[in-house]
């Protein structure tokens, strides 16, 4: 399904987005605020999920709030998930190889809008109709 190249293309197509490397992983920011990032699962994550090793690439994505995160997980728990590390934090984890490019595009745009300045979001969506 989706790849890191897809994430890169979709993220960098958004106004004032930039790519960075942090802790060896790629992340995309707008105005110094991360909105999507590569998120390898840590030992505690694996234990909480009851698995021995990570099964494919994992993307972290900001959400508007925790309610949106929980709604995404309820919508499709085979694609969206969380770990205790993200309790109380408005971000969802995504099995990148299980999400369609189209749905990834929506998720990346929503993550960008969750952290971008309101003026920039308004300008972008004014010029980019649905």
């Amino acid at each position: 399904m989706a790849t890191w190249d897809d994430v890169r293309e979709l993220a960098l197509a958004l106004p004032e987005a930039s790519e960075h490397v942090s802790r060896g992983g790629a992340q995309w920011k707008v105005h110094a605020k991360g909105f999507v990032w590569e998120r390898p699962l840590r030992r505690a994550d694996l234990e909480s999920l009851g698995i021995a090793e990570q099964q494919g690439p994992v993307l972290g994505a900001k959400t508007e709030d925790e309610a949106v995160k929980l709604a995404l997980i309820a919508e499709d728990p085979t694609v969206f998930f969380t770990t205790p590390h993200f309790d109380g934090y408005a971000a969802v984890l995504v099995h990148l190889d299980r999400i369609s490019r189209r749905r990834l595009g929506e998720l990346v745009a929503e993550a960008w809008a969750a952290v971008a300045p309101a003026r920039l979001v308004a300008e972008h969506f004014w010029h980019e109709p649905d």
Side-chain angles (χ1 to χ4, degrees):
M1 293 281 238
T3 67
W4 290 115
D5 288 337
D6 293 324
V7 175
R8 177 174 291 110
E9 180 184 338
L10 293 164
L12 294 177
L14 295 163
E16 301 182 32
S18 57
E19 183 174 346
H20 306 269
V21 174
S22 176
R23 299 179 187 179
Q27 65 177 230
W28 292 268
K29 297 181 178 184
V30 59
H31 285 243
K33 293 181 179 179
F35 61 98
V36 289
W37 60 94
E38 187 175 354
R39 178 53 164 80
L41 297 177
R42 300 176 180 140
R43 185 175 338 130
D45 298 326
L46 296 171
E47 289 172 5
S48 74
L49 295 168
I51 57 176
E53 63 183 36
Q54 183 170 325
Q55 307 289 319
V58 175
L59 174 75
K62 288 288 289 180
T63 57
E64 184 177 346
D65 54 36
E66 274 201 286
V68 171
K69 169 176 77 174
L70 296 174
L72 288 169
I73 294 167
E75 170 190 311
D76 192 347
T78 66
V79 173
F80 303 102
F81 68 105
T82 191
T83 65
H85 178 79
F86 289 96
D87 287 352
Y89 189 65
V92 69
L93 298 174
V94 181
H95 291 288
L96 188 59
D97 57 356
R98 298 180 190 173
I99 191 170
S100 70
R101 180 177 160 82
R102 180 175 179 266
R103 183 66 181 103
L104 176 65
E106 295 167 355
L107 181 73
V108 170
E110 291 166 4
W112 174 87
V115 300
R119 166 201 53 82
L120 195 57
V121 173
E123 288 174 4
H124 175 65
F125 289 113
W126 175 260
H127 295 295
E128 295 288 329
D130 289 335

